[in-house]
Structures are given as structure tokens and as C-alpha cells.
Amino acid sequence: MGSSERIQRYTKFIIYVVAVVLINLAGLTLFFRADLTAHNKFSLSTASKDTLAEVAAPLTIKVFFTENLPAPHNATERYLHDLLEEYGLFADKNFNYQFYNVTPREGDMSEEIAGNQELAKDYGIYPVQVQNIEADEVKFQKAYMGMVIVYGDMTETIDPIKSTDGLEYQITTAIGKLSRKISTFMNLTEPVNVRLYLSSSLYQVAPYLGIENMAQLPQTIQSIIDGMNDRLAGRLAFEAVDPSRTPDRMPEVSESNLIRLEWPAINRKTGDPVPAGEGIIGLVLRHDGEQVSLPLLKVVDVPIFGTQYSMPDKEGLEKSIDKNLETLVGINDEIGYLSSHGTLDMSAMSMFNQQQSSPDESVGNFRKAVANNYAISQVDPAKDDLSQAPSCLIIAQPTASFTDYELFQIDQYLMRGNNLALFLDQFQEFYPGGRQSPYARPQYKPLSTGLEKLLKHYGVEIPNAVVMDENCYQQRRNSQRDGGQQPIYFAPLIKNRFINNEPDFMNNIKGLIAMKMAPVNLLSDTLEENGLTATTLFSSSESSWEKTGRVTFNPMLIQPPGPDAEQQSYPLACLLEGPFPSYFADKGIPVKETGKDEQKDEAAETDTPDGQPDVQADIQATGTMIKKGKPGRIFVMGSSHMLRDYMFDAESLSPNAVFIMNLLDKLNNREKTALLRSKQQTYNPLYDVSGFAKTAIKWFNIIGLPVLVILAGLIVWMLRAARKKRIRMMFAS
């Protein structure tokens, strides 16, 4: 009997082992996993899967990541392993990835590791310093934390990878960009001309500018272009032009907006003096009638030290050429930006030279974020035909009035089913006397550009007012005075319950910071009459009030209204959708205003030949106005401050930046990309609760939990006593 039981036990054990092995073998093919996070943070989004489906050639991801790094970088490495494994599950045979060993063992640098580190450098991935705390001692170590995506002969580098935030977004957008780049360059019918304008006269003054390698610049750019041609199927044609020796090329130089230097005669201690002269430097990319200018000389005015000159190194120059090349050939979807009428300066030249009129006016971070996803096209409704403009147009802080013809251009642009993003300030800062000084306080005058009548006709109105909110940003006071915090009432903190999360692109926006916002009033009767849908995206809190008339933004001079004053929540941003009716439907096409010289030229062009009758006045054209448009969208916000550098971070990870970029994706029909970007939004504030609820929770933790423990103990004691009683009664009977 004992022997039979042993056989049964061994048999069961063998069966269990076989069952476990079979289950594991089945798990290799029948794979299942569940992501229980709120926004599927650890699962690939639909946008990533769609991008992988478009990969038509072998794509390899090479990862160079030092092992055994201190927290939080070790978690980044683990997440990267899991993420790439997830990519591999949904990709076909064209996708593969590899982690390269770049970690020396106890100071021993093997030939394999040295080769991998050299390969990383070839791809432009260099070690960075990370902090490591061991045995109460702070140490620094060099670590590789980068990856390169290789698609055909083209590469895209992500380096350094210091966080998991937005990593899937970076990888997916890089893969999509490479896929579009290869198909675009393969289909080019003519090469892209890369032309260097460099006056040889600059070589003599270059040492006085602190630049020693200017004479080698043509050879440097030639080597860069040769390397890029290996990846771009030879679609680049390089030429070096010396304007000093080819005066016939000056017309093309003048239209390229290049940097020009002039200098007086320079007497040297040794050798002949340098004669007075001038020189031009710059790089121009041209293709299909379009061109992009790259300034090669950085000019910055530094206090005390004076004007400083510098040139980008080879690596930075190659990145700049590659990025502008993508914009020129239209690899990124194009987005329009109204560059006239005093709008915020989005030009690359102003960013490069760092010569903004005021630090508060800088939108460099916003421009960088947009340029990483779209090609920016500068638009002027007075000169350009908006029928050829991109399908989305940004108008940010216009300060000059629009003529009726320019408004007609914008109106008809919308009628064609295009989209507008309007960031409209209602007050303009000025200084009495026109000069800014430390003793002069700025004043603010109401703005009226003409866009107001268009918006009112469509169904939205922005009054000349500023929303103040008691739920606002708190600025620390100077500790040498009274300390404490100073409320900035014109900088409302938009909490989650005042944000509309129903639209997909707003799904994961949990909080925002506004600044100098005007209320956006929706005219419900007009909207209903026009057949439009209006969605309020976020609002101020119930503790808000309007400031009209003479406004000030000095926090010391702003006080909340009295207890009897009415306070309410104000809508601050909205999205209008539908077929918009034209403002000019019953007004006719306005006349385009021109200067006297233009009028003479136009009159000369319309002169009729001798003996021929003038019939132009008798010709009537129809169909030149769209009275009821195709479905389009208008985003309206009563401020442009959310676009500026002090509210839009350089990494584009803050809630403000995610909101703005998601909005632009929505207006460009990229909803899936918006969901991908906001998926890893890490700002998750606690829910607001009332004061009564806070008090109740506090006393429940102090008194309620101990009482519950005591009650639970009493119940257990009573149950045990009853059980003992039942047992005694059973044995007694």
C-alpha cells in the first residue's frame, strides 16, 4: 500500500511538471497581457501601430544604454526594454532592435565594448554625466543613454534619454518622419540646391571676430553634404559662392536675407593693415521655387564684453541643415503662421540671433515644438493669396488693424474648410513718452484689430477685459520684507474640474496656468442660427471677476472685489466647428488698398492698346466669393501668453505645452498623435474637496478608524464566545 501511494505521488508530480511546461510553451504563442493604467501608459497607442504598419523597408533601432545606472535611470532602461518589445509584438519582419553593450566591467575595456562606444559616437551619441550616491558620497559617472533609428540609409537619433516621459511619442514620430523622408526624397524630380555665400574678404577680419576656422567652412559643408547625399540618394547639389568676386550674384544674395558685415580699416602691429570692406556669410537651401536661409554667424550683444561672434560646429551645422531640409521639401505637414500685423515673431533668424524686443515676447520654445512636427509657412494676407496657404493658420497677438480686404482673405480662407487658431490679446502695453525706463510704469490700452467683427458674426465675442481669479498663482515675496506670498490674480490656476476632458485631445489635461486672459463669450443665438457647435475647453473658477476699463498688471495694486460683488466662472478658450457663414456675404468683395506707386503700376498694366475699346469695366465676374463655407474649425483664446517661453517649456512636457500642441494636432486632423503625446502626461493633481469634506476625513482618520478597529474586535470576540457556547451545548447534550 505504501509503495502504491508513492507511485501515485510521483505520477502526480510528473503530470504537474509536464502541465507547467506545456502551459509555458503555449504562452510563447498564445500571448496575453492587460494594461490596467488609466491611459494605457504601458501599451502601444493606435498611432504607433499605424506608423509601424507603414514601414516598408528594414528598420533597426540600436540602443546604447549603460547598465546598472542609479535611479531613476535604471527604471528608464527597463521601460525602454519593455517598450521596444511591445513595438516588436505589433511590427512585422521589417522591424528589429538591439541593445549594444557599452558598459566596461570593473574598468576592463574589452574590444567589443570599445567598438560599441565608437559606433555610438559615429551615430552622434555621446556619454553624459549622471549623479550616483554611494555610502553617503556623491559621485559622477559617464553613461550612454541614447538610441538611433536606422531606416534604409537614413538615421534619426534620440539622445539623451533621461526620462520615460513622452518616449513612445519620440520614437513613433521619429519612425514616421524617416518613413516620410525616404518616400519624399526618392520622388524628388530635381535636386535641392545648397548654396554657401561666403565673401573671401571675411578671412582677414575673422581672427578679430574670434573665429579661426572660417576659411575651412566650404570644405566642412562640402563634407557634410557628401555624407548626407549617401543617405538621401544624392538629391543635394552643393555650390560655394564668393560675392566679393562674383558681383553678378548680388541680386540673389540680396533676396536671401543673409548676414552682412562692414568694418573700417584695421591697423595691425605686424604686417600690412586690413583695408576697410564688407562681407556676406550665409547658407541658402533652394528647391522648387522655395528657399530657406541659415545664418552661419551668431551675433550676440553681451553686456560689458560687447558684441560676440561664433559659428556652429560641424555637428550642429549638420543638424541645422537636415532640419531645414525637411521643412523645405515638406516632409512635415505644413502649418501657417500670420507674420504681419505685429504678431509674435516666429522667424528662425530672431531665435538664432537672440535679439527679441523683450524676453517676455520670446516664443522660441513654441516655435521649436511646432517645427519638430510641422513645416512653418509665414503668411501675410496683404501680400499672399490665402487660398494657397496651409490648412491651419495661427494668428498670435496681432496689434495692427486689418483692412477689409485682409479680413476678406481670412474669411474666405475659413470658408474653404480650413482652420484658424486665434490667440488674441485685448490690451497692448505701452510706455508714456514711448521709452521704457526703470522708473516708468507701463500702461495698457485696449486693442481692436477688426477680427472682432468677424468673430462676432460667427458667434463668439471677446470683450476688452481681463479675468482675475482668486485661485491663482502665488508668488513668493521678498523675505527681507514681510515674506509670505503675493497672489497674481491675473494668472489663474485652471484646475481639473474647470477643464473639459470630453474631447479626445483634452483627455489627459489635468491642470493649466493662464495669464492675462480675456473672457470668451459664446453667442448662443448666433451659433444656433449659423448651425455651429461651440465647445468650451477650459474656464476660470467661480471666484473670478472681470476687470474692465483702465487695467493694471501690478499685483500690489489689484485687490479682490468686496463680499457683495458678483463672482463667477468665465470661459477662457473655446473651439467652434461647422460650416461658417461668410461675414461678407451681403457686403460684397472689398477693394484691396494699394499705395500710389502700386496704383500707377496697376493703371499702366490695364491700359488698352490704341484703337481698342476698354471693356474691362463691363466685365463682371461671379463665383469669386464663398458665402457658406465647408465645415471648418476656429480655436479662440483671449491671450497669447501661453505661447511664450516663460509658460511654454523647452521640452514641451508641461500641461500648457501639451495642450497647445494637442490643439494644433486637432486642427490638423492628427487626433491620434494628440492622444499619443498626452498619454504620458505626468501632472496628476489631487481632486479638490470642500472644507467640510477635509474636516470629516481628518476626524475619521483620528477617531473613526480606531473606533472601527474596536468594533471589529468586539464582533470577533462575540463570535468566538458564541462558538464556544455552541460547542459546550453540543457536548452537554
Side-chain angles (χ1 to χ4, degrees), residues 252-326:
E252 65 186 60
V253 172
S254 60
E255 66 182 22
S256 299
N257 193 27
L258 303 179
I259 293 178
R260 181 191 299 268
L261 297 180
E262 298 181 9
W263 59 89
I266 302 174
N267 293 320
R268 296 189 290 187
K269 293 182 179 179
T270 59
D272 297 332
V274 177
E278 62 178 7
I280 294 171
I281 182 173
L283 193 68
V284 178
L285 311 180
R286 287 189 177 92
H287 177 70
D288 196 21
E290 300 292 333
Q291 71 174 34
V292 177
S293 300
L294 280 69
L296 298 179
L297 193 65
K298 187 175 182 180
V299 185
V300 180
D301 290 329
V302 181
I304 300 176
F305 296 99
T307 305
Q308 301 292 309
Y309 301 88
S310 63
M311 286 175 52
D313 57 14
K314 183 177 180 180
E315 179 186 357
L317 189 56
E318 183 173 358
K319 288 182 178 180
S320 180
I321 294 174
D322 192 48
K323 185 174 181 179
N324 284 275
L325 195 62
E326 294 172 0

Side-chain angles (χ1 to χ4, degrees), residues 47 72 89 122 349 504:
L89 290 174
D122 291 340
M349 181 70 72
D504 288 342

Side-chain angles (χ1 to χ4, degrees), residues 342-618:
T343 56
L344 295 172
D345 190 0
M346 281 266 283
S347 64
M349 181 70 72
S350 64
M351 287 180 57
F352 194 87
N353 288 332
Q354 300 178 355
Q355 292 178 346
Q356 293 285 350
S357 58
S358 167
D360 292 345
E361 297 286 322
S362 175
V363 290
N365 294 341
F366 172 63
R367 187 192 187 283
K368 178 183 176 183
V370 174
N372 285 337
N373 296 273
Y374 300 95
I376 302 174
S377 175
Q378 305 284 342
V379 174
D380 184 351
K383 302 176 182 178
D384 304 324
D385 181 8
L386 293 192
S387 65
Q388 306 299 322
S391 60
C392 178
L393 178 63
I394 302 173
I395 303 178
Q397 191 204 321
T399 55
S401 298
F402 292 84
T403 65
D404 284 344
Y405 178 78
E406 292 166 347
L407 293 176
F408 174 74
Q409 282 261 68
I410 296 172
D411 175 89
Q412 292 298 291
Y413 171 83
L414 185 63
M415 295 304 108
R416 296 184 184 94
N418 296 314
N419 304 317
L420 290 173
L422 306 179
F423 302 88
L424 307 178
D425 292 323
Q426 295 304 295
F427 292 90
Q428 184 177 13
E429 181 180 281
F430 73 97
Y431 285 84
R435 287 189 176 183
Q436 183 176 353
S437 69
Y439 306 102
R441 290 185 177 179
Q443 297 182 9
Y444 300 88
K445 60 182 179 181
L447 268 175
S448 178
T449 63
L451 289 172
E452 300 82 14
K453 54 187 179 184
L454 286 186
L455 292 176
K456 189 173 183 180
H457 175 75
Y458 300 146
V460 64
E461 188 176 32
I462 306 180
N464 290 119
V466 178
V467 174
M468 305 287 179
D469 196 337
E470 292 188 37
N471 292 321
C472 60
Y473 176 76
Q474 303 285 332
Q475 184 181 34
R476 289 186 178 181
R477 290 194 178 105
N478 192 333
S479 58
Q480 295 180 353
R481 298 183 179 180
D482 56 350
Q485 293 182 324
Q486 171 67 56
I488 311 298
Y489 294 113
F490 51 82
L493 294 178
I494 312 300
K495 297 186 177 180
N496 191 31
R497 63 192 183 98
F498 296 104
I499 298 175
N500 184 0
N501 295 125
E502 291 185 5
D504 288 342
F505 73 97
M506 298 287 294
N507 197 308
N508 202 22
I509 306 297
K510 302 292 183 66
L512 297 167
I513 301 179
M515 175 69 73
K516 300 179 182 179
M517 303 282 282
V520 178
N521 300 329
L522 298 175
L523 309 177
S524 55
D525 293 340
T526 305
L527 291 169
E528 184 177 357
E529 180 182 348
N530 293 335
L532 301 175
T533 302
T535 304
T536 299
L537 299 181
F538 62 87
S539 309
S540 63
S541 74
E542 301 97 335
S543 303
S544 303
W545 71 98
E546 271 187 339
K547 182 66 176 177
T548 58
R550 187 174 181 180
V551 301
T552 180
F553 294 110
N554 185 341
M556 305 296 293
L557 303 179
I558 303 175
Q559 294 296 330
D564 298 332
E566 182 178 354
Q567 292 180 307
Q568 66 181 64
S569 175
Y570 293 93
L572 300 179
C574 69
L575 183 66
L576 276 60
E577 301 179 85
F580 291 87
S582 174
Y583 173 78
F584 296 91
D586 56 353
K587 298 178 177 61
I589 301 177
V591 178
K592 180 180 179 180
E593 298 180 6
T594 58
K596 293 182 179 180
D597 294 338
E598 292 177 279
Q599 291 175 4
K600 291 179 181 179
D601 294 339
E602 291 178 2
E605 290 176 2
T606 56
D607 286 345
T608 58
D610 294 338
Q612 297 294 330
D614 183 6
V615 298
Q616 291 187 3
D618 298 328

Side-chain angles (χ1 to χ4, degrees), residues 198-204 242-245:
L198 179 60
S199 300
S200 55
S201 56
L202 288 172
Y203 297 161
Q204 294 181 323
D242 184 354
S244 302
R245 299 177 180 176

